[in-house]
Amino acid sequence: MKVIILAAGYATRLYPLTLTRPKPLLPVAGKPMIDYVLDNLAPIGGIDRVVIVTNAKFADPFQKWADDYRATKAKLDFTAIARQAIRE
């Protein structure tokens, strides 16, 4: 089973907090919000990959978070996919 987390927004309503950090990585009670989601999903058997869809601006912070999460918590395989901004 694959888990897809859609996190490609810029969270402009939370500026200046989200100028340099994506909203799912903002800390709540000492850990990033996304940790709460993954901590609840990790015990479910059969998850073979977690795909995080993000924007190009925040691809690196998500990859760093994913590497840290895998090393310290659940041994889940992560893929961070950066989508390009669509301009009209």
Side-chain angles (χ1 to χ4, degrees):
M1 176 171 35
K2 293 174 182 37
V3 174
I4 299 174
I5 298 174
L6 302 177
Y10 290 95
T12 56
R13 288 179 285 184
L14 291 175
Y15 278 4
L17 295 174
T18 55
L19 282 171
T20 59
R21 185 183 302 184
K23 182 170 60 175
L25 296 182
L26 290 175
V28 173
K31 64 182 183 178
M33 287 191 278
I34 197 170
D35 278 20
Y36 293 97
V37 175
L38 270 295
D39 290 350
N40 286 312
L41 291 175
I44 297 172
I47 296 175
D48 57 353
R49 178 156 309 274
V50 176
V51 178
I52 301 170
V53 180
T54 184
N55 54 56
K57 178 180 178 180
F58 294 129
D60 289 338
F62 273 113
Q63 190 60 56
K64 181 184 178 328
W65 167 84
D67 294 342
D68 292 343
Y69 190 91
R70 182 180 29 248
T72 60
K73 293 188 178 186
K75 303 296 182 204
L76 297 171
D77 286 327
F78 289 91
T79 301
I81 298 173
R83 70 153 180 88
Q84 296 297 319
I86 298 172
R87 306 238 187 248
E88 294 189 37

